Amino acid sequence: MRNFILNEALGAYKSAKGMAWVSTAVSFTLILIFGASLYLSLTIFGILQTERRNVEIDVYLKEDLPREMKERLYSTIQGLAGVKDIDIVTKEEALKIFKNRYPEYSDVVSVFQDIPFPESFVIHLKPTWKNPELMEHIVKEISVLPGVDEVYAGTGWIARLSKISAFFITVSIVLLIGLFLAISYVIYQTIRLIINSRRELIEILDLVGATKSTIEIPYLINGTLYGFVGGLFAAIVLKLSLVLVGTLLSYHLPDHWFIYPLLVLIGLVIGLIGSYLSFEEILP
Amino acid sequence: MSYIEFQNVSRIYQNRWYALQNVSFSIGKGEFVFIIGPTGAGKTTLLSHIYFKEFPTSGRVSVLGYSSDTISRDEIPFLRRKIGVIFQDFKLLFDRNVLKNISIALEVTGESPRNARRKAIEVLDKLGMADKAEKMPNELSGGEGQKVAIARALVREPYILLADEPTGNIDPESSEEIFKILKRVNDRGTTVIVATHNYNFLEKVVRKRVISLKAGKIESDEKFYIK
């Protein structure tokens, strides 16, 4: 039986002639586009996650703030929802940080008599609060507190990155739906063509007592093969393209390894569904 | 023992045209039955009911313990494995050789390719066609093509052999040979049912039953045991 099914699946591939190539090529192209979009989404999402982890709110204090007021401010901020802990950065520490970060300008600050940097609190947030909307809310609360000169959270670019990430995720989902419909339609038509060209065989198999699954499986294998081969080539081409781009840019691109088996799996599932629908419609 | 039973079977197409009308009969083990009648009398429709390609609009067909009222789609293949069917146009597969055309009937039901091949050669040998095993269907004469179709039907050792106008597409000499084969099959205990409008062959079978159809109705049902 296994021999029969494999032979017939191969025979069906031959019957499809040019359509087999069309199905495979369409599957390959669309899955590759989806894979590229998914890769971009995941990469941006990854950057966003990393940046969110490092996100903090800098609260610059007014000059010459009395000690008690600083302590009261510290306690008030510590009591706000979403605040995990607070680091105090003194003027001296701020200068040290500046010199470390911008050594080429370290001479510039030495012309000042006093240290030109204000004292500040660096607020670390709880993980669930590290998103632009909630951070904005905390920033507003802190800004109005007495003794606070300025608050910086850098939420603007995180919000922009979030929007870009959401855009790519939406594109990926739309592509997934689109490619599902397009590939399954092409495979559906191919299998339809094959079944029509092999009606006599199917009629004879039915006559001699072959079960529906015995008749059906070769065509399901065939349709699945178009999707599988398309997905496999898409995964290989995507991987090679990323290696090439990484080499050309001399940059180590992040590797989302699970994309490749996912693309193959998507091709396989869509192929299976397309051929199943075709068989069920023509030979219910 | 009754292998086939038709009880008041009617088959209506497009709500108005009767292909079979109130047909009742039963056929037992080892009978040789001719279904005769002019073109359009309902012979093919009647045979189609026996292997459940078609179902009655009213009435009931029972075959080898399966009833048209209760048989499920999944059970039909198992019934068909007990019935051999041959047609006027042979229904051979032109993309594979004679041996493959026969062994396919066994392979699809789980027989190993080796066993299927051995059994196919045995049947071909019995029909005097062993030397044609590797030939392609388009290299065969009409009579040889029908013999291959018979071999495919017999390779499963069916309880019932249905032949729908088996000599319709072949020359008289080959037709005679086909009937001899059908008689031999029947002599071994297989129930043979032949639908034909070629009445010349009726006299060639001694023990036979003749069911005559006209416009979907049984006109006569006679048994002949003496020449």
Side-chain angles (χ1 to χ4, degrees):
Chain A
M1 181 96 84
R2 212 181 321 137
N3 278 12
F4 166 79
I5 286 171
L6 290 176
N7 283 340
E8 291 312 312
L10 205 67
Y13 206 93
K14 283 179 192 161
S15 301
K17 292 177 183 139
M19 277 304 281
W21 291 107
V22 172
S23 285
T24 311
V26 168
S27 305
F28 160 73
T29 311
L30 295 178
I31 295 172
L32 181 63
I33 293 170
F34 169 73
S37 166
L38 186 65
Y39 178 83
L40 277 174
S41 307
L42 289 170
T43 303
I44 293 171
F45 193 71
I47 295 169
L48 201 63
Q49 288 300 97
T50 310
E51 291 308 320
R52 273 185 183 159
R53 263 198 299 279
N54 299 332
V55 86
E56 54 196 24
I57 297 173
D58 297 326
V59 179
Y60 298 101
L61 308 184
K62 284 183 177 160
E63 283 292 322
D64 305 324
L65 208 62
R67 185 188 165 93
E68 310 81 63
M69 209 163 162
K70 273 186 221 165
E71 282 173 1
R72 207 175 314 135
L73 189 60
Y74 183 94
S75 311
T76 311
I77 294 172
Q78 184 71 73
L80 291 175
V83 175
K84 192 175 151 201
D85 50 53
I86 303 170
D87 288 337
I88 300 167
V89 180
T90 61
K91 282 170 165 282
E92 291 73 22
E93 282 167 337
L95 178 64
K96 213 169 147 187
I97 291 168
F98 179 84
K99 282 183 174 176
N100 279 340
R101 203 173 289 172
Y102 308 106
E104 65 273 29
Y105 298 117
S106 48
D107 294 342
V108 178
V109 288
S110 58
V111 299
F112 292 99
Q113 211 164 25
D114 293 327
I115 297 171
F117 300 108
E119 224 173 321
S120 64
F121 292 158
V122 176
I123 301 169
H124 302 285
L125 299 170
K126 290 174 182 167
T128 49
W129 283 73
K130 289 179 177 177
N131 77 61
E133 292 78 25
L134 292 172
M135 282 172 71
E136 208 61 54
H137 177 76
I138 295 175
V139 166
K140 271 185 190 163
E141 277 191 278
I142 296 172
S143 304
V144 295
L145 294 174
V148 172
D149 185 33
E150 199 184 336
V151 184
Y152 175 77
T155 50
W157 74 272
I158 289 182
R160 275 198 299 279
L161 210 57
S162 292
K163 274 184 190 162
I164 294 169
S165 170
F167 170 76
F168 273 102
I169 288 170
T170 312
V171 166
S172 296
I173 292 168
V174 170
L175 274 176
L176 184 65
I177 296 167
L179 95 99
F180 175 85
L181 293 174
I183 297 175
S184 52
Y185 179 74
V186 172
I187 290 175
Y188 163 88
Q189 288 296 352
T190 307
I191 297 297
R192 216 175 130 93
L193 194 85
I194 295 171
I195 291 173
N196 278 326
S197 72
R198 295 167 79 83
R199 267 191 185 278
E200 202 156 40
L201 168 69
I202 292 168
E203 194 187 335
I204 289 166
L205 295 179
D206 191 38
L207 191 72
V208 297
T211 57
K212 190 185 170 205
S213 57
T214 307
I215 299 172
E216 194 173 23
I217 288 171
Y219 301 97
L220 296 186
I221 291 177
N222 199 247
T224 307
L225 208 62
Y226 300 140
F228 172 78
V229 173
L232 185 68
F233 275 98
I236 293 169
V237 170
L238 182 66
K239 176 70 187 168
L240 292 178
S241 304
L242 291 173
V243 169
L244 188 68
V245 170
T247 311
L248 288 175
L249 299 176
S250 305
Y251 182 76
H252 179 71
L253 293 169
D255 192 16
H256 308 295
W257 63 268
F258 62 90
I259 285 185
Y260 312 112
L262 181 71
L263 295 184
V264 177
L265 185 71
I266 286 173
L268 196 136
V269 170
I270 297 177
L272 181 67
I273 292 172
S275 47
Y276 177 77
L277 291 177
S278 186
F279 199 89
E280 285 301 306
E281 198 215 313
I282 301 172
L283 302 166
Chain B
M1 186 196 166
S2 172
Y3 271 12
I4 301 164
E5 191 166 5
F6 276 54
Q7 293 172 283
N8 303 315
V9 171
S10 292
R11 180 72 169 100
I12 307 167
Y13 291 121
Q14 292 161 351
N15 289 326
R16 57 192 170 87
W17 187 67
Y18 277 86
L20 294 175
Q21 203 171 341
N22 214 25
V23 171
S24 296
F25 63 83
S26 73
I27 296 173
K29 181 177 188 267
E31 283 195 69
F32 196 117
V33 183
F34 282 101
I35 311 285
I36 61 164
T39 305
K43 304 185 294 291
T44 299
T45 307
L46 189 146
L47 293 189
S48 301
H49 279 74
I50 296 175
Y51 61 98
F52 290 129
K53 186 187 174 193
E54 294 202 40
F55 284 78
T57 310
S58 64
R60 184 195 300 148
V61 178
S62 302
V63 182
L64 299 170
Y66 292 96
S67 164
S68 59
D69 287 346
T70 55
I71 193 167
S72 68
R73 288 255 165 222
D74 294 341
E75 285 175 319
I76 292 174
F78 296 96
L79 166 72
R80 289 187 182 164
R81 291 174 193 183
K82 297 173 182 174
I83 299 173
V85 190
I86 58 172
F87 298 92
Q88 182 174 346
D89 60 357
F90 320 146
K91 293 201 189 298
L92 298 180
L93 297 167
F94 284 80
D95 61 345
R96 57 202 82 196
N97 67 19
V98 166
L99 200 61
K100 282 273 172 202
N101 261 279
I102 299 165
S103 62
I104 197 170
L106 293 167
E107 281 188 50
V108 295
T109 54
E111 195 90 46
S112 70
R114 183 186 286 190
N115 270 350
R117 190 184 155 83
R118 182 179 53 77
K119 288 183 180 177
I121 290 171
E122 274 173 24
V123 176
L124 276 175
D125 194 35
K126 281 178 190 163
L127 297 178
M129 291 275 292
D131 58 326
K132 309 282 183 192
E134 301 300 329
K135 295 258 184 212
M136 297 302 280
N138 58 9
E139 297 175 281
L140 304 174
S141 68
E144 288 169 337
Q146 191 60 289
K147 280 196 210 172
V148 175
I150 294 174
R152 186 180 63 206
L154 294 180
V155 76
R156 298 201 57 82
E157 298 175 356
Y159 292 74
I160 300 166
L161 179 64
L162 306 176
D164 191 3
E165 300 283 6
T167 57
N169 267 351
I170 51 182
D171 60 86
E173 202 178 308
S174 300
S175 300
E176 196 134 341
E177 207 179 338
I178 295 299
F179 261 97
K180 279 182 189 161
I181 292 168
L182 295 180
K183 270 162 58 185
R184 265 196 344 247
V185 171
N186 178 244
D187 289 342
R188 287 204 300 266
T190 306
T191 299
V192 176
I193 302 170
V194 180
T196 183
H197 62 261
N198 186 346
Y199 302 156
N200 295 336
F201 288 101
L202 266 64
E203 60 197 50
K204 295 187 189 301
V205 181
V206 181
R207 290 168 57 88
K208 66 193 169 225
R209 179 172 164 193
V210 180
I211 297 174
S212 175
L213 284 179
K214 193 175 179 186
K217 288 182 185 170
I218 292 185
E219 205 177 37
S220 64
D221 182 353
E222 294 174 280
K223 288 181 180 175
F224 302 88
Y225 293 119
I226 308 156
K227 197 172 182 182

